[in-house]
Amino acid sequence: MSDIDRLFTQLRAENRKAFMPFITAGDPDLEFSASVIRELAARGCSMCEVGIPYSDPIADGPVIQASYTRALDKKIKLAQILEMLAGLKDVSMPRVTMVSYAIIYRHGLERYVAGTKAAGVAGAIVPDLLVEEADELAEICRREDFSLIQLVTPTTPRDRAVRIAESSTGFLYYVSVTGITGERTKLPPSLIENVGWLRQQTDLPICIGFGVSQPEHVKLLAPVCDGLIVGSAIVRRIAEAADRPRAAVLKEVGEYAANLLAALEARPD
Amino acid sequence: MLKPTENPTNCFLALFEVHMSTSPTKAGEASANVPDAAGRFGDFGGRYVPETLTRALDELTVEYEKAKHDPAFQAELDELLHNYVGRPSPLYHARRLSEECGGAQIWLKREDLNHTGAHKINNTLGQALLTLRMGKKRVIAETGAGQHGVATATACARFGLPCVVYMGSEDVRRQAPNVFSMKLLGAEVRPVESGSRTLRDAINEAMRDWMSSVEDTHYIIGSVVGPHPFPMIVRDFQSVIGRETREQSLERIGRLPDLVVACVGGGSNAAGMFYPFIEDREVELIGIEAGGRSSQPGDHASPLSFGEPGILHGSYSYVMQDEDGQTCDVHSISAGLDYPGVGPEHSYWKATGRVQYTNCRDDEAMKGFDALARCEGILPALESSHAISKAMELAAQRSKAEMVVVCLSGRGDKDANEIARLKVKASS
């Protein structure tokens, strides 16, 4: 059981849903990333997705792309990110990395899993690793009790979605839109039905991400899933830390997360 | 298997061993019967893209297989290649250039004489026909030198498809005539300001567009790169170059060439030229990468010469990456070769030893350009000038009885302004 499995076991027992913010490691610097993670944990977030900056992120919209570019311009390396994460072991909120397979492959599959695990990370989301190409990494993750969270999208055929669900561990990441990361005002009308169908196919927790940013989204989606992931809306707020007092930005990010958490907890059931 | 290690240097050596020791790719065994169903050329290739694109890639694979075995599709493409593109392109004996070098006879495969002035049209017409077969309503493309952008805009105009071309803003500057042509042909050119503002960033941006538009849009990728099935499809459409060269050699000199030379950026003209010769073991094949200013990192665009296997733009192939897995900035005088990756089949041919890869510096390419202009009255594209330059060097070392074929992949008019600028800079 990874920390993620334990998290969802507990949340389900309490009839609660997970709230998972995404941040880019090293934007604007690693010290601030650590402060944000602590702030999010203090506000009651369930888990944090830590984006490992990559030079060629094709699934990401302008906000996350720009945050990766800012971090890479500061020459931030994976080793430094792991060092920052290792300093957060007193924080009980689980962390997972969102990372390109280009980076995992370059560092070596075993070394990446062992290195991030040693830094207190519970799993990885690898947005450019398809289920067909995932066997080698999945085997290592199984052995290391490290979650390998896979993604289903609106374009995924249903038989394939079942196959992905069977291969994913920790939770299943449902991508709400056919597109790249970024805030949307409206989410696709078929979303509820698709996730509802998927819910019938697997016991694995299902979390929805991409485009989620408003309390209305949270209220709409919470009943059909186990958790929600919010990325660009958080990263955009953190981006302001470059030219504003950091304490103010930290408070704003925390309040934004708390606002969405409140919407999540306020569900009628 | 690899054990975690504290020493990053050992780690990367070990990493290399892990992947190479399990390798089914062995020297001397290059097959033309690749890729396999997973898109693997030996170890290389595959599909490393977001899940969102999988269904479209599967659909494309299925539709391409059907088209390949459909005589009506082949007939339509052949008719277009003949009457619209002007194929077959001539195989021209460059006698004065050969004399100048004093060695082997240099022959040029004149892809520069195709409609739109480069080999790129062979692929875009084929993929435009696939777009129509799949019932897709819109086309996107990336371009570096602008040749693929022009060829895509042309095919889209011919078939009435709306077309958006992504182009790095640095390339928009260097290749202004092609930007103008694309607009005249009705395409929308979207300059890309991210990263190094070159071909790599244009591919990223085209992929991102495709992530949102995949239901009704086909991405006409311009080289033998990207996720399966693109490297195979582009190679197949470009293989008309090598098939014609093979027939023309047999017809003109009664045998196959001794040596075939082509430039390699992503590697589409080289793949199209080499592929039909892969099982003719007596024919030596040489690919020329962009050597840039020097062999220092950042000064060249030669992943096969100086890079290592890794992941970029959806496939596993040689790439210029730093030790952290970030793609490196590269440099070439020529926008079409200014790319940190290379098609996976080239990595396979390198690993099997079937093709030799070397590189040609910016200044050497300029000399190749000048030599062809003055000896033969042909302005080659800066990309092709790399192949010309190395072919001259190789021809000089060989006997007059030998035949060297160079793929003259494109014409140089698009480069005239950039060359003028570089010459002024060099003389000041």
Side-chain angles (χ1 to χ4, degrees):
Chain A
M1 245 193 175
S2 80
D3 285 349
I4 300 170
D5 301 323
R6 272 186 286 275
L7 169 74
F8 283 105
T9 306
Q10 190 194 336
L11 287 173
R12 280 181 170 180
E14 295 167 359
N15 193 26
R16 290 171 61 220
K17 311 282 167 154
F19 180 68
M20 286 177 266
F22 167 97
I23 66 157
T24 292
D27 175 39
D29 55 44
L30 288 165
E31 193 191 338
F32 194 69
S33 298
S35 307
V36 173
I37 292 171
R38 286 185 184 280
E39 173 72 16
L40 293 169
R43 297 278 184 169
C45 295
S46 325
M47 177 160 46
C48 183
E49 245 183 75
V50 179
I52 307 298
Y54 176 49
S55 54
D56 299 83
I58 58 177
D60 282 307
V63 170
I64 293 177
Q65 272 178 57
S67 72
Y68 281 180
T69 303
R70 284 191 298 271
L72 291 174
D73 283 347
K74 296 192 171 168
K75 315 268 180 230
I76 285 166
K77 303 288 181 197
L78 181 66
Q80 296 166 288
I81 295 171
L82 296 188
E83 202 178 310
M84 179 272 287
L85 291 171
L88 296 168
K89 285 189 181 162
D90 58 309
V91 176
S92 62
M93 174 186 71
R95 278 83 70 190
V96 296
T97 53
M98 168 76 97
V99 56
S100 168
Y101 194 62
I103 291 175
I104 296 184
Y105 184 84
R106 182 62 166 158
H107 284 270
L109 277 51
E110 297 225 19
R111 184 163 175 260
Y112 183 85
V113 172
T116 50
K117 196 181 169 190
V121 172
I125 303 168
V126 191
D128 50 3
L129 186 66
L130 299 176
V131 64
E132 292 84 359
E133 305 279 3
D135 287 352
E136 194 180 352
L137 184 60
E139 174 54 34
I140 294 166
C141 291
R142 242 188 315 275
R143 215 184 312 136
E144 293 284 330
D145 201 10
F146 188 82
S147 297
L148 180 59
I149 296 124
Q150 304 204 25
L151 300 95
V152 170
T153 74
T155 63
T156 307
R158 289 192 161 183
D159 53 344
R160 184 177 166 83
V162 171
R163 189 178 158 202
I164 294 169
E166 283 166 358
S167 144
S168 187
T169 53
F171 66 89
L172 189 60
Y173 192 133
Y174 190 84
V175 176
S176 69
V177 296
T178 302
I180 52 182
T181 59
E183 297 165 67
R184 268 91 168 163
T185 44
K186 285 192 116 174
L187 295 172
S190 55
L191 177 57
I192 302 281
E193 187 204 328
N194 287 339
V195 177
W197 176 84
L198 199 56
R199 180 71 290 160
Q200 304 304 312
Q201 314 304 313
T202 177
D203 288 332
L204 203 63
I206 298 172
C207 299
I208 303 174
F210 280 44
V212 182
S213 58
Q214 300 173 3
E216 294 72 39
H217 298 155
V218 171
K219 284 179 188 155
L220 179 74
L221 299 176
V224 296
C225 66
D226 295 273
L228 292 167
I229 302 158
V230 174
S232 296
I234 302 264
V235 173
R236 182 165 60 80
R237 285 169 171 82
I238 292 173
E240 295 173 0
D243 34 53
R244 281 184 49 203
R246 293 197 168 186
V249 174
L250 200 60
K251 185 160 171 270
E252 207 175 291
V253 169
E255 281 168 1
Y256 173 74
N259 190 26
L260 293 188
L261 266 164
L264 194 66
E265 299 284 345
R267 291 175 308 111
D269 58 322
Chain B
M1 287 299 288
L2 178 65
K3 293 283 184 294
T5 164
E6 294 302 306
N7 182 331
T9 314
N10 287 346
C11 161
F12 294 126
L13 290 173
L15 166 65
F16 194 66
E17 278 163 23
V18 166
H19 288 275
M20 299 319 285
S21 64
T22 56
S23 160
T25 306
K26 290 199 183 68
E29 288 177 7
S31 164
N33 191 23
V34 285
D36 64 15
R40 292 280 169 179
F41 303 86
D43 288 347
F44 300 100
R47 205 184 259 180
Y48 298 92
V49 290
E51 171 64 21
T52 298
L53 299 180
T54 307
R55 193 173 73 192
L57 293 170
D58 283 343
E59 275 169 15
L60 179 61
T61 307
V62 168
E63 198 55 48
Y64 176 66
E65 276 308 310
K66 278 194 225 157
K68 203 164 115 180
H69 298 105
D70 178 355
F73 177 86
Q74 288 303 331
E76 190 175 4
L77 181 57
D78 287 349
E79 194 273 335
L80 281 165
L81 290 175
H82 184 66
N83 294 319
Y84 186 69
V85 177
R87 301 206 74 91
S89 66
L91 184 65
Y92 166 73
H93 187 183
R95 288 195 175 83
R96 276 184 27 94
L97 188 71
S98 306
E99 269 169 38
E100 176 85 11
C101 299
Q105 300 308 302
I106 299 173
W107 294 65
L108 305 175
K109 179 60 174 167
R110 298 291 308 272
E111 293 299 300
D112 62 317
L113 293 179
N114 292 339
H115 178 43
T116 71
H119 69 290
K120 296 291 187 186
I121 191 84
N122 303 328
N123 168 48
T124 59
L125 286 172
Q127 288 206 52
L129 289 177
L130 288 176
T131 306
L132 297 176
R133 277 182 77 105
M134 291 186 292
K136 297 211 166 174
K137 307 287 181 218
R138 172 181 176 259
V139 163
I140 54 171
E142 86 295 339
T143 196
Q147 292 303 120
H148 175 62
V150 169
T152 306
T154 299
C156 288
R158 170 67 182 72
F159 292 107
L161 290 161
C163 174
V164 172
V165 180
Y166 291 92
M167 187 172 190
S169 58
E170 167 65 10
D171 293 338
V172 168
R173 182 193 67 74
R174 303 195 259 194
Q175 309 277 244
N178 276 340
V179 177
F180 190 55
S181 298
M182 283 184 264
K183 290 179 180 168
L184 290 177
L185 290 160
E188 180 191 341
V189 180
R190 293 190 188 163
V192 178
E193 299 289 349
S194 59
S196 55
R197 300 188 295 272
T198 59
L199 178 55
R200 161 191 154 205
D201 310 287
I203 294 178
N204 287 339
E205 215 46 48
M207 290 260 192
R208 288 181 194 125
D209 180 313
W210 209 31
M211 286 282 290
S212 305
S213 63
V214 63
E215 314 263 15
D216 71 346
T217 296
H218 179 56
Y219 176 16
I220 299 190
I221 207 163
S223 193
V224 288
V225 300
H228 177 65
F230 283 117
M232 170 182 76
I233 290 178
V234 179
R235 174 202 69 194
D236 288 353
F237 285 141
Q238 290 297 357
S239 289
V240 65
I241 304 172
R243 282 199 307 275
E244 285 177 7
T245 303
R246 222 174 160 282
E247 283 166 25
Q248 289 165 326
S249 298
L250 291 170
E251 200 181 294
R252 300 283 292 280
I253 65 162
R255 63 184 178 85
L256 296 178
D258 299 286
L259 183 61
V260 178
V261 182
C263 65
V264 179
S268 71
N269 90 85
M273 179 54 116
F274 295 162
Y275 181 68
F277 290 104
I278 284 301
E279 293 185 348
D280 299 316
R281 306 284 160 167
E282 70 275 25
V283 179
E284 247 183 280
L285 306 172
I286 301 195
I288 315 297
E289 294 189 293
R293 292 178 288 250
S294 81
S295 59
Q296 293 300 307
D299 265 4
H300 59 79
S302 305
L304 290 165
S305 305
F306 305 116
E308 282 181 75
I311 315 281
L312 177 66
H313 291 149
S315 68
Y316 175 60
S317 191
Y318 276 79
V319 59
M320 296 306 306
Q321 273 183 338
D322 72 8
E323 74 290 350
D324 229 27
Q326 310 297 345
T327 312
C328 299
D329 285 342
V330 293
H331 161 81
S332 170
I333 195 177
S334 108
L337 304 183
D338 198 350
Y339 182 60
V342 67
E345 195 162 15
H346 287 291
S347 293
Y348 169 68
W349 289 337
K350 175 187 162 76
T352 56
R354 178 63 189 95
V355 179
Q356 300 298 313
Y357 294 90
T358 179
N359 59 83
C360 170
R361 288 192 320 269
D362 290 345
D363 59 326
E364 296 172 315
M366 289 286 275
K367 283 182 190 153
F369 179 95
D370 286 339
L372 196 66
R374 304 243 169 121
C375 293
E376 299 289 349
I378 297 170
L379 300 183
L382 271 178
E383 291 76 18
S384 323
S385 300
H386 288 71
I388 300 287
S389 174
K390 277 290 154 179
M392 290 172 64
E393 196 182 306
L394 292 161
Q397 299 158 8
R398 295 179 180 236
S399 85
K400 291 190 175 175
E402 288 188 60
M403 178 194 197
V404 178
V405 175
V406 189
C407 187
L408 182 51
S409 55
R411 56 191 288 166
D413 310 49
K414 69 179 176 69
D415 296 311
N417 288 342
E418 181 69 0
I419 287 168
R421 191 183 72 88
L422 292 166
K423 283 188 187 280
V424 169
K425 204 172 148 192
S427 63
S428 65

